[in-house]
Amino acid sequence: DDSDTCRVQIRKAPGGGDLIVSSTAEKDDNGFLWYIEPSDTSSVTEGEYYWDAKLTTSDGDVFTFIPVSAFTITSGVTT
């Protein structure tokens, strides 16, 4: 449905912790696209973080379709 939304959050700890990024994914004809921009993490220290993604339908139903998952933010490698 065109009014469905997808929200993505990154936190320092699963189930809570400091909110690092909260954004809405862009929707196109193929689904949702979500990007992490360099500015989103430029002030974040290296380490392990957690994220998930939730779909809210036009009826108000909420589905966590990407469960809490860990990932690591590191300094750049490619120059």
Side-chain angles (χ1 to χ4, degrees):
D1 187 311
D2 285 342
S3 59
D4 292 349
T5 59
C6 174
R7 188 178 59 148
V8 179
Q9 290 189 337
I10 298 173
R11 292 185 180 270
K12 185 61 181 162
D18 293 338
L19 181 63
I20 306 302
V21 173
S22 181
S23 63
T24 302
E26 296 176 16
K27 189 171 187 179
D28 68 11
D29 293 337
N30 297 313
F32 290 97
L33 299 173
W34 181 67
Y35 302 95
I36 298 175
E37 300 293 339
S39 60
D40 292 334
T41 59
S42 62
S43 63
V44 176
T45 58
E46 293 183 21
E48 189 167 78
Y49 293 85
Y50 299 86
W51 75 297
D52 68 3
K54 296 184 181 204
L55 173 72
T56 302
T57 67
S58 58
D59 294 332
D61 295 320
V62 179
F63 300 94
T64 302
F65 67 97
I66 298 177
V68 174
S69 303
F71 72 101
T72 302
I73 294 178
T74 62
S75 61
V77 174
T78 305
T79 58

